Amino acid sequence: MIHFHILTLFPEMVMQGLHTSILKRAVEKEAIAIEAVNIRDYTLDKHGKVDDYTYGGGAGMLMQAQPVYDACKAVEQRIASAQPENPGGEGSCRVIYVTPQGRTFHQAMAQELAREKHLIFLCGHYEGIDERVLEELVTDYVSIGDYVLTGGELPAMVMIDAIARLVPGVLHNHESAATESFSDDLLEYPQYSRPEIWQGRRVPDILLSGNHGEIERWRLEQSLERTKKLRPELYEKWAREHEEYFRKKEKREARERKKQNKQKKAEK
Ligand code: 21W
């Protein structure tokens, strides 16, 4: 069980987005828990204000330190009091600030984060958050890539989706992310469903053959071909790490050639 806590000014957006399809099922099964905390609920300003102008001037508003700090501390305290075996365990939980200036999120990061019990995501809006509260709270600065969005909510949802599917019990066994496969780190092979012929295009014969060994081999070849063409750097890495695959393939093909030569001779 992993608990995601999202500090945001738009809790409905995050809750809507993350309570759909597979993650909805995961919440119902209690494989994960998702809570959105409205930073505005923690402002001490009597008009509910959470932003202000930036010192030094410049465009736009900045989220102020106080409501962000109090919202985060409230979550940390709730986590600590739910763990009586770890009194004052506050501060042990990672606080991830989603920001264009962070390290770019990737699969290995998702795997590492999936091992935590609690994760706090801090979503900025407007031009960002007062630097002092970031220094006080944040353990990880993470971006999802080099393009500009309007806020941190979508990036937090992207990261939570990628992390959650790695948590045991979230995916069904047949779709499990944990079953290590030869073809991990390659692009996917093409897939087909009914009908057998659509607009004159046939499903590849091999997939109708019922020969599961041949099908598996074909799929891996397709994955390799695609990866070589579309993501050459991924292909080179895979090839370096799977030299034995190419040796075995050589041998298999040599064996095939021999067999065919023999057959030809016998036919003569
Ligand atoms: C975009 C906030 C641009 C601020 C200093 C002086 C989180 C994101 C975000 C956003 C600015 C991520 C400035 C990929 C993203 C996010 C909102 C610009 C101007 N800073 N990953 N002036 N892309 N974006 N700040 O946009 O919060 S992770």
Side-chain angles (χ1 to χ4, degrees), residues 69-186:
Y69 185 78
D70 289 356
C72 191
K73 285 295 156 189
V75 170
E76 286 179 338
Q77 253 146 41
R78 265 192 290 111
I79 294 169
S81 59
Q83 298 172 314
E85 71 282 6
N86 179 21
E90 177 194 331
S92 61
C93 173
R94 287 169 83 163
V95 178
I96 299 160
Y97 179 40
V98 286
T99 166
Q101 302 177 67
R103 290 170 58 216
T104 306
F105 187 62
H106 56 261
Q107 189 64 21
M109 230 187 256
Q111 276 157 354
E112 187 200 315
L113 292 170
R115 292 199 294 268
E116 301 283 331
K117 281 260 166 308
H118 293 268
L119 289 171
I120 301 177
F121 288 86
L122 174 56
C123 304
H125 228 87
Y126 314 117
E127 283 303 300
I129 302 180
D130 189 304
E131 189 70 18
R132 294 166 296 182
V133 73
L134 298 177
E135 288 170 3
E136 198 61 41
L137 295 175
V138 174
T139 60
D140 301 83
Y141 293 78
V142 186
S143 160
I144 59 165
D146 292 338
Y147 37 81
V148 184
L149 303 169
T150 57
E153 283 76 14
L154 284 171
M157 288 160 70
V158 165
M159 292 179 56
I160 289 167
D161 192 274
I163 295 164
R165 67 183 287 287
L166 299 175
V167 174
V170 170
L171 298 185
H172 288 137
N173 263 345
H174 65 269
E175 54 193 21
S176 177
T179 52
E180 292 270 329
S181 157
F182 217 45
S183 53
D184 287 352
D185 310 321
L186 291 175

Side-chain angles (χ1 to χ4, degrees), residues 2-69:
I2 180 170
H3 296 69
F4 298 103
H5 311 266
I6 305 124
L7 308 179
T8 171
L9 290 175
F10 301 95
E12 334 72 51
M13 174 182 180
V14 175
M15 288 314 255
Q16 277 271 357
L18 293 176
H19 283 82
T20 304
S21 182
I22 293 170
L23 294 198
K24 179 182 182 173
R25 189 182 73 197
V27 169
E28 286 163 0
K29 284 204 292 189
E30 297 185 41
I32 63 171
I34 305 171
E35 136 183 271
V37 174
N38 192 343
I39 293 169
R40 198 177 299 280
D41 290 346
Y42 289 86
T43 182
L44 298 176
D45 180 87
K46 57 179 178 290
H47 301 109
K49 199 167 69 85
V50 291
D51 60 332
D52 209 331
Y53 300 99
T54 61
Y55 281 113
M61 308 289 275
L62 208 59
M63 283 167 70
Q64 292 169 284
Q66 177 272 318
V68 171
Y69 185 78

Side-chain angles (χ1 to χ4, degrees), residues 226-238 240:
R226 283 189 167 187
T227 310
K228 191 172 184 178
K229 186 156 172 234
L230 300 171
R231 298 289 302 276
E233 79 293 357
L234 284 187
Y235 177 81
E236 290 305 327
K237 181 162 182 279
W238 193 92
R240 277 196 303 278

